């Protein structure tokens, strides 16, 4: 017990703690000492921040206190717990998680695999939709959800983008089954920031011409006519 693998990173220190008998300080210290210098620094930064924020002074069961004090140390947390998943793939990972307790476990695994940059980009997007009332929307108020999401489209695209140009997004969508929404979503967010902005402009133009439930004939006419410039 208390013997982490070689090249133990910061997250590995906490995994090692789980193998130690309760209260075995020597075992805990061995976990820290056996980690890389970079991992030890990241661990110390996180623990120092949590100590200064008052996290360890929260009363047992006071979730509001734990959330508030932990929230001030997210940079240090991400420095310790991160992987190599870019923000686009982090979003797809979260989208693919089920509901309930299994979904919470899945989400935690997604976050632990995101890069530091990806986790920061995702936080920027979540902060934006929070400020725009997304989490206050009534459960069946799709317009409210969409308005908050639309207000944060720049933050979302900054997170979820790839290297496909606009025409390559079309090519990608052609490979998706009509009912495979995950495939379509993956294609769209694999476009560059510029490509997605162009795609959105084209979509807005078509909706303006044909409405939200426009038929294929109207949409094709719009692309050949009023929307031909953006198309």
């Amino acid at each position: 017990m208390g013997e982490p693998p070689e090249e133990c990173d910061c997250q590995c220190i906490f995994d090692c703690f789980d193998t130690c008998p309760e209260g075995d300080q020597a075992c805990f210290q061995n976990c820290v000492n056996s980690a890389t210098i970079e991992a030890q620094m990241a661990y110390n930064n996180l623990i120092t921040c949590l100590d200064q924020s008052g996290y360890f002074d929260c009363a047992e069961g006071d979730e509001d206190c734990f959330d508030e004090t932990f929230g001030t140390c997210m940079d240090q947390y991400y420095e310790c717990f991160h992987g190599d998943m870019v923000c686009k793939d982090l979003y797809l990972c979260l989208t693919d998680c089920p509901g309930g307790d299994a979904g919470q476990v899945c989400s935690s695994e997604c976050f632990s695999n995101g890069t530091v940059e990806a986790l920061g980009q995702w936080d920027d997007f979540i902060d934006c939709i929070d400020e725009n009332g997304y989490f206050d929307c009534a459960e069946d108020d799709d317009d409210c959800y969409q308005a908050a999401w639309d207000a944060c489209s720049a933050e979302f695209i900054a997170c979820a983008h790839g290297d496909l140009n606009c025409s390559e997004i079309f090519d990608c969508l052609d490979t998706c089954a009509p009912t495979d929404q995950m495939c379509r979503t993956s294609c769209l967010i694999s476009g560059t920031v510029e490509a997605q902005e162009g795609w959105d402009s084209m979509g807005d133009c078509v909706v303006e011409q044909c409405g939200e439930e426009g038929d294929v004939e109207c949409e094709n006419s719009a692309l050949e006519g009023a929307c031909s410039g953006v198309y």
Side-chain angles (χ1 to χ4, degrees), residues 118-182:
L119 294 167
Q121 290 172 326
W122 182 254
D123 274 354
D124 289 343
F125 170 63
I126 295 300
D127 288 345
C128 181
I129 60 173
D130 184 25
E131 291 169 1
N132 282 276
Y134 182 89
F135 299 109
D136 297 323
C137 294
E139 186 173 349
D140 59 349
D141 192 346
D142 292 338
D143 289 340
C144 177
Y145 287 122
Q146 191 61 51
W149 194 281
D150 289 345
C152 301
S153 60
E155 286 79 3
F156 177 73
I157 293 176
C159 164
H161 67 271
D163 56 8
L164 299 184
N165 62 37
C166 203
S167 65
E168 288 171 335
I169 292 177
F170 270 107
D171 294 339
C172 181
L173 289 170
D174 282 342
T175 69
C176 297
T179 57
D180 191 346
Q181 188 57 47
M182 181 60 72

Side-chain angles (χ1 to χ4, degrees), residues 29-83:
Q29 190 60 52
N30 184 56
C31 291
V32 176
N33 293 343
S34 299
T36 65
I37 296 298
E38 292 80 6
Q40 291 183 48
M41 292 176 61
Y43 167 79
N44 288 331
N45 288 339
L46 175 58
I47 296 301
T48 298
C49 181
L50 291 173
D51 184 45
Q52 293 175 347
S53 74
Y55 179 84
F56 298 117
D57 298 324
C58 292
E60 184 176 352
D62 189 349
E63 297 302 325
D64 288 340
C65 178
F66 284 124
D67 288 344
E68 180 179 352
T69 54
F70 192 87
T72 65
C73 299
M74 293 310 296
D75 288 344
Q76 291 81 1
Y77 175 77
Y78 291 153
E79 180 188 359
C80 180
F81 289 86
H82 68 271

Side-chain angles (χ1 to χ4, degrees), residues 85-99:
M85 185 183 291
V86 298
C87 199
K88 172 178 72 71
D89 294 331
L90 171 61
Y91 169 69
L92 292 174
C93 181
L94 292 169
T95 301
D96 204 32
C97 286

Side-chain angles (χ1 to χ4, degrees), residues 12 16 68 98 109 206 227:
C12 170
C16 180
E68 180 179 352
E109 291 178 350
V206 170
C227 304

